Amino acid sequence: MRDIMGMMGKVKEMQAKMEKMQAEIAALEVEGKSGGGLVTVTMTGKGELKGLKIDPSLFKEEEVEILEDLIVAAHKDAKDKAEAVMAEKTKEMTAGLPIPPGMKLPF
């Protein structure tokens, strides 16, 4: 019976850590850049786009496709950075738990 109580305590502790980590991720802001910094995207850890900066030199009608590609690349860069931070935080939180490699926790 003590094992069950101990396990329940650990579950509650893990739940509190998960909630804290989710709040940290939601508050996280990352920047993604492309084109050597000509396009910068700012987004939250939850993937919400917060800002977009475009260098004025890209505002040429004949370069619309380039600009579109740079925006997509900057967004991907920011998303990849946010995912890396989330993966690291998850790894720290679940250290010592028998979780199979590559398993993603629901966020």
Side-chain angles (χ1 to χ4, degrees):
M1 186 65 151
R2 285 197 319 191
D3 288 338
I4 291 175
M5 295 304 286
M7 186 183 299
M8 293 300 288
K10 288 189 184 279
V11 167
K12 289 206 180 276
E13 182 182 320
M14 178 64 80
Q15 184 178 14
K17 285 182 181 180
M18 289 278 281
E19 288 172 2
K20 181 181 177 204
M21 186 178 78
Q22 287 175 334
E24 288 175 3
I25 289 170
L28 175 72
E29 282 197 6
V30 293
E31 271 192 359
K33 296 184 180 199
S34 67
L38 292 175
V39 175
T40 303
V41 169
T42 305
M43 61 187 281
T44 67
K46 293 281 190 176
E48 179 185 343
L49 186 63
K50 298 295 267 185
L52 172 65
K53 293 180 184 175
I54 302 170
D55 188 279
S57 68
L58 293 173
F59 292 120
K60 296 178 185 165
E61 192 173 325
E62 64 274 5
E63 295 184 5
V64 170
E65 286 183 33
I66 293 171
L67 177 57
E68 291 169 347
D69 290 343
L70 290 173
I71 291 170
V72 170
H75 183 269
K76 182 182 179 332
D77 185 42
K79 184 177 179 218
D80 290 347
K81 288 177 181 177
E83 286 177 355
V85 171
M86 286 187 278
E88 185 60 34
K89 287 185 178 288
T90 302
K91 183 179 175 183
E92 290 171 9
M93 187 185 73
T94 59
L97 293 177
I99 296 176
M103 180 179 168
K104 289 189 172 190
L105 295 176
F107 292 113

